[in-house]
Amino acid sequence: MTDAVGSIDMPDAQDEAPESKKKARKGGKRGKKGPFGRLALFYRQIIAELRKVVWPTRSQLTTYTTVVIVFVVIMIGLVTVIDYGFSNAVKYIFG
């Protein structure tokens, strides 16, 4: 079976290289930094990803919050009605 990358049965050309020709790496850039350098890199990457986020406007946030609160109130009412019905049914059946 083949796909865009290659075959499952036959490895790609780069995988066929003998092991003796491959150089052992110790981790590249990550291996050279200490724990504080890696932590600083991690936080810089977090900030870079947060800058890509499309934040909602105040009106969108108000709308979303209102929808969630209304949904929760409806679900609380539904569960309350079902619970009240079951408790009355249990009282009727078991006395």
Side-chain angles (χ1 to χ4, degrees):
M1 177 186 278
T2 62
D3 57 1
V5 178
S7 172
I8 294 174
D9 300 328
M10 297 182 61
D12 295 335
Q14 63 187 7
D15 294 334
E16 292 175 358
E19 294 295 325
S20 61
K21 290 186 178 181
K22 291 184 179 180
K23 293 182 180 178
R25 287 181 39 178
K26 289 222 174 193
K29 291 182 180 179
R30 290 186 195 173
K32 294 179 183 176
K33 294 183 179 181
F36 292 112
R38 290 193 305 260
L39 191 62
L41 175 65
F42 177 69
Y43 283 117
R44 282 195 303 268
Q45 289 173 345
I46 289 174
I47 291 170
E49 288 297 322
L50 286 175
R51 286 187 179 138
K52 297 177 187 177
V53 174
V54 179
W55 297 99
T57 63
R58 185 176 292 270
S59 64
Q60 288 174 334
L61 192 60
T62 304
T63 303
Y64 298 155
T65 305
T66 304
V67 167
V68 168
I69 290 173
V70 168
F71 177 76
V72 168
V73 167
I74 290 172
M75 292 308 294
I76 288 172
L78 181 66
V79 169
T80 302
V81 168
I82 291 172
D83 183 50
Y84 182 73
F86 279 135
S87 66
N88 281 344
V90 168
K91 284 180 187 177
Y92 178 76
I93 293 171
F94 296 109

